[in-house]
Amino acid sequence: MAESFGADPARYDRTRPRYPARFLARIAGDGGAVLDVGTGTGIVARQLVAAGCRVLGLDVDARMAAYAREGGLDVEVAPFEEWDPAGRRFDTVVAGQTWHWIDPVAGAAKAAGVLRPGGRFAAFWNVSRPAPDVAEALGAAFRDALPGAPLNPWSRTALDGYSAIVDRTADGIRAAGAFSEPEERRHGWECTYTRDEWLDQLPTGGGMALLTPAQRTALLDATAAAVDGLGGRFAMGYTALAVTAVVPPGRS
């Protein structure tokens, strides 16, 4: 599934939510050299470049990497755990919306190995936080379109679902034995979607790769009707959620 997102990189880049500038500024600090793990189409990398960072992207999907390069980014293709940094060191290693695809212990150890003393690692995600009426409408559409599906993504808050990912990330950082105690950071924000905007981004979700064409059509049609029932647009709340830790300055 991790390599399914490259099927339509233009749609992915166009529709996926960005991160609040203040949230990224707290992670990147004063800029410097940044390694963006799972850079995809370069959504995070471009934001960091705009903030004054020098960014190298890394992605497992050559299609996503090619799209990011077309936007002027420097991107290499390899799984992070197997990537050869060739002696390069970074001030910050980030992973936006991707760390759950990486082994948490091996990945944290690799991040520590390419960070300078005092450097920061941060894994972060945009987690949807819909209002109750929005969650009910989208959940009903999912149930109607996919009545046999084992898990409705709108049946509980996404933050609850991400708690295990956050814990696994923090435990991996601790197990690597090279970082300060991990911290969790949260930043709430909101984005308003029209029906067409929401339908445009819906196929970029990882779960869509597991559906048949008929199931995807049914879900899109049911969701369109649900958003029409909300007045044709709605506000989606998000929480930008990060797990971050620093390599102690005295480490060589």
Side-chain angles (χ1 to χ4, degrees):
M1 192 185 298
E3 297 182 43
S4 68
F5 302 104
D8 190 349
R11 180 196 296 268
Y12 187 96
D13 191 76
R14 180 176 66 248
T15 64
R16 279 294 181 113
R18 276 50 178 166
Y19 290 89
R22 288 175 55 195
F23 173 80
L24 285 183
R26 290 186 64 200
I27 291 169
D30 296 328
V34 179
L35 176 66
D36 182 19
V37 178
T39 196
T41 60
I43 290 172
V44 171
R46 291 196 302 272
Q47 289 190 261
L48 292 172
V49 168
C53 299
R54 304 183 308 278
V55 182
L56 173 65
L58 180 67
D59 204 273
V60 71
D61 192 320
R63 298 166 298 179
M64 299 285 261
Y67 188 95
R69 290 191 195 107
E70 289 174 2
L73 296 171
D74 184 10
V75 184
E76 297 179 10
V77 177
F80 180 49
E81 300 93 327
E82 302 171 13
W83 173 66
D84 181 6
R88 289 168 290 184
R89 303 290 286 274
F90 299 86
D91 300 297
T92 310
V93 174
V94 301
Q97 218 76 25
T98 60
W99 198 249
H100 49 289
W101 302 115
I102 294 169
D103 181 275
V105 179
K110 188 64 170 276
V114 300
L115 280 167
R116 298 186 177 101
R120 179 176 297 279
F121 166 70
F124 45 88
W125 299 265
N126 267 320
V127 184
S128 58
R129 187 173 39 83
D133 61 327
V134 174
E136 174 55 34
L138 297 179
F142 191 92
R143 289 191 300 272
D144 290 345
L146 305 171
L151 178 64
N152 188 326
W154 306 106
S155 63
R156 60 175 181 169
T157 67
L159 281 172
D160 291 339
Y162 271 81
S163 62
I165 293 174
V166 168
D167 291 345
R168 189 162 60 248
T169 300
D171 288 345
I173 291 171
R174 295 186 185 101
F179 289 97
S180 63
E181 177 63 16
E183 304 173 10
E184 182 179 325
R185 297 178 179 176
R186 298 186 179 203
H187 184 104
W189 65 285
E190 189 175 274
C191 181
T192 297
Y193 292 92
T194 65
R195 178 192 62 184
D196 290 346
E197 288 168 343
W198 186 252
L199 295 179
D200 196 21
Q201 67 78 36
L202 193 59
T204 70
M208 294 292 281
L210 304 178
L211 303 181
T212 67
Q215 288 173 323
R216 286 194 290 272
T217 297
L219 181 57
L220 288 168
D221 289 346
T223 301
V227 178
D228 283 343
L230 294 168
R233 65 175 57 234
F234 64 93
M236 175 61 75
Y238 287 98
T239 295
L241 173 63
V243 182
T244 182
V246 172
V247 175
R251 176 178 171 267
S252 59

